[in-house]
């Protein structure tokens, strides 16, 4: 009796699954989640389970069995799959949304989900094949403040259902999506908290496209809010900004966002006349800065869990190294 080797068994199983997913052609349309016919949906879920399993194990050969010929031919996908695999290892992922589509157009088509309120979205994509399937995954732990989305797009080729693309990108920052962060930025701008508005808008832009096809229906223009806040900062402040309330007169030259395990929070960079080698003196000066930072940059330390400070010996210019001392401050 002929013995089937493991790879032969996997290939045989893949062929059976591909055959099970063959169906009669329907009229163009899209079916979301439980609207997808039960048997077909079960088969798609088997593909998803295999994909997540292979991503976590890092087995490129097994993932290769799922890929389309075009995807296999594009060597840049090796790095992309590695990145998605690293994301898959950071949390337990589950299906968030899925769509089975019969495309009307070859060049571009659109799926809309209008049921998510401010987070409603559309997927705009090229109809590379007549039948396609999208699987969108998010971490099971919904309390995770920073969340990455994994998106798999499959297509039915003449040789069966295969993975056409795979991507990962940021979905939530500090527990908020891009439209939610945009709302924060707009409120801050209305309250004339220009620095904090710019930082919130910057975070909104950072998670505005959690996959390659995603577009929020409420197309909040975070870029416009970012620009308005930036212009307001230049109008109301002159950088480097001297902190006159502190006797040593440190000078703020840059603000930004910085990440730790709890989320993204403001970071303030400033020059100091205090010797960086004397860390106790730097910390003492920083205590004085913290007392007045919200007066100088309104809202910047409000409703934040952390803030970061970087005291520099001089203004960084070019690629030269500047001595600095970094501090993390827990606010609540």
């Amino acid at each position: 009796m002929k013995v089937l080797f493991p790879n032969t068994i996997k290939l045989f199983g893949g062929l059976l699954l591909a055959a099970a997913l063959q169906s009669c052609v329907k009229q163009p349309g899209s079916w979301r989640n439980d609207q997808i016919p039960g048997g077909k949906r079960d088969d798609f879920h088997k593909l998803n389970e295999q994909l997540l399993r292979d991503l976590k194990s890092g087995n490129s050969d097994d993932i290769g069995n799922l890929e389309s010929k075009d995807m296999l031919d594009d060597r840049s996908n090796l790095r992309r799959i590695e990145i998605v695999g690293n994301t898959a290892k950071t949390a337990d992922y589950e299906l968030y949304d899925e769509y089975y589509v019969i495309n009307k157009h070859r060049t571009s088509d659109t799926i809309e989900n209008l049921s998510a309120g401010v987070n409603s979205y559309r997927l705009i994509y090229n109809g590379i094949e007549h039948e396609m399937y999208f699987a969108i995954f998010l971490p099971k732990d919904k309390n995770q403040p920073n969340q990455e989305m994994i998106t798999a797009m499959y297509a039915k080729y003449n040789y069966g259902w295969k993975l056409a693309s795979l991507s990962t990108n940021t979905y939530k920052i500090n527990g908020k999506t891009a439209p939610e962060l945009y709302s924060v930025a707009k409120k801050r701008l209305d309250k004339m908290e220009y620095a904090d508005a710019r930082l919130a808008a910057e975070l909104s832009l950072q998670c505005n496209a959690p996959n390659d096809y995603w577009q929020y229906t409420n197309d909040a223009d975070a870029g416009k809010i970012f620009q308005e806040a930036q212009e307001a900062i230049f109008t109301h402040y002159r950088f480097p900004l001297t902190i006159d309330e502190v006797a040593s007169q440190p000078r703020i030259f840059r603000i930004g966002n910085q990440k730790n395990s709890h989320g993204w929070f403001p970071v303030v960079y400033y020059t100091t006349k205090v010797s960086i080698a004397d860390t106790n003196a730097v910390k003492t000066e920083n205590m004085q800065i913290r007392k007045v930072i919200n007066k100088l940059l309104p809202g910047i330390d409000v409703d934040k869990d952390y803030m970061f400070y970087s005291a520099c010996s001089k203004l960084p210019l070019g690629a030269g190294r500047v001595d600095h001392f970094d501090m993390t401050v827990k606010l609540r």
Side-chain angles (χ1 to χ4, degrees):
M1 183 176 70
K2 187 175 180 181
V3 177
L4 293 177
F5 290 95
N7 286 342
T8 307
I9 294 171
K10 286 180 183 177
L11 179 60
F12 185 61
L15 291 172
L16 286 177
L17 183 55
L21 286 166
Q22 304 301 316
S23 65
C24 58
V25 176
K26 300 182 179 69
Q27 291 298 314
S30 65
W31 294 263
R32 177 180 175 230
N33 298 342
D34 56 7
Q35 297 173 346
I36 301 172
K40 184 178 288 292
R41 191 184 188 197
D42 289 342
D43 290 333
F44 285 138
H45 287 183
K46 290 175 185 176
L47 281 176
N48 292 335
E49 289 166 9
Q50 182 179 343
L51 175 63
L52 288 176
R53 188 165 55 247
D54 292 343
L55 284 170
K56 282 201 168 188
S57 70
N59 194 323
S60 58
D61 289 338
D62 286 348
I63 295 174
N65 291 332
L66 297 173
E67 294 178 66
S68 68
K69 292 177 182 176
D70 288 341
M71 197 170 174
L72 285 168
D73 289 342
D74 185 351
R75 304 300 292 176
S76 67
N77 281 313
L78 291 173
R79 176 57 181 157
R80 179 176 288 227
I81 290 170
E82 181 185 359
I83 292 170
V84 179
N86 290 337
T87 298
K89 294 170 187 174
T90 63
D92 287 329
Y93 274 80
E94 65 180 2
L95 201 58
Y96 168 67
D97 257 341
E98 59 182 329
Y99 299 90
Y100 166 59
V101 295
I102 306 291
N103 291 311
K104 183 177 181 180
H105 304 291
R106 186 74 174 183
T107 52
S108 180
D109 222 323
T110 303
I111 305 168
E112 289 194 306
N113 174 7
L114 305 178
S115 64
V118 68
N119 292 315
S120 295
Y121 66 91
R122 60 177 66 92
L123 300 177
I124 302 174
Y125 62 96
N126 289 331
I128 57 175
E129 293 294 337
H130 191 53
E131 292 183 67
M132 296 174 68
Y133 170 72
F134 293 83
I136 299 169
F137 305 94
L138 288 175
K140 289 181 181 179
D141 181 4
K142 304 310 175 190
N143 294 321
Q144 192 173 314
N146 300 317
Q147 298 181 20
E148 299 292 310
M149 176 181 287
I150 294 176
T151 304
M153 182 178 78
Y154 301 85
K156 192 175 100 170
Y157 299 89
N158 56 12
Y159 48 91
W161 282 94
K162 292 291 180 180
L163 196 61
S165 75
L166 187 64
S167 65
T168 183
N169 212 340
T170 305
Y171 174 64
K172 279 188 177 183
I173 294 176
N174 296 348
K176 291 181 172 60
T177 62
E180 291 164 352
L181 286 164
Y182 167 83
S183 179
V184 170
K186 193 173 186 308
K187 288 176 183 177
R188 296 287 189 264
L189 190 62
D190 291 343
K191 292 172 66 176
M192 296 185 291
E193 297 174 348
Y194 305 122
D196 202 41
R198 201 212 77 180
L199 295 178
E202 183 180 289
L203 293 178
S204 178
L205 290 169
Q206 194 170 316
C207 58
N208 198 42
N211 66 36
D212 296 340
Y213 327 104
W214 191 286
Q215 183 183 94
Y216 282 105
T217 307
N218 302 308
D219 193 15
D221 194 351
K224 183 178 179 182
I225 290 291
F226 178 89
Q227 188 63 34
E228 287 181 16
Q230 184 79 329
E231 290 173 0
I233 288 173
F234 288 142
T235 299
H236 291 84
Y237 303 105
R238 185 179 296 277
F239 284 87
L241 185 63
T242 302
I243 308 176
D244 292 319
E245 292 87 345
V246 177
S248 53
Q249 292 195 314
R251 306 175 76 196
I252 297 172
F253 62 88
R254 187 165 72 232
I255 59 171
N257 288 298
Q258 185 170 306
K259 185 180 182 182
N260 67 6
S261 60
H262 301 279
W264 288 83
F265 305 101
V267 54
V268 175
Y269 299 89
Y270 62 94
T271 56
T272 178
K273 298 172 186 174
V274 175
S275 170
I276 296 298
D278 188 350
T279 58
N280 287 330
V282 174
K283 290 177 183 178
T284 299
E285 179 191 57
N286 183 257
M287 288 291 294
Q288 298 303 310
I289 294 173
R290 289 185 230 166
K291 292 177 181 178
V292 298
I293 192 67
N294 193 54
K295 179 181 176 182
L296 197 65
L297 300 171
I300 198 165
D301 65 352
V302 176
D303 299 327
K304 308 293 192 306
D305 292 335
Y306 292 87
M307 270 195 70
F308 305 103
Y309 292 89
S310 184
C312 302
S313 59
K314 61 181 180 180
L315 194 66
L317 296 172
R321 185 183 180 279
V322 173
D323 291 333
H324 61 93
F325 183 71
D326 300 332
M327 292 157 280
T328 300
V329 179
K330 193 175 189 307
L331 299 177
R332 59 183 185 181

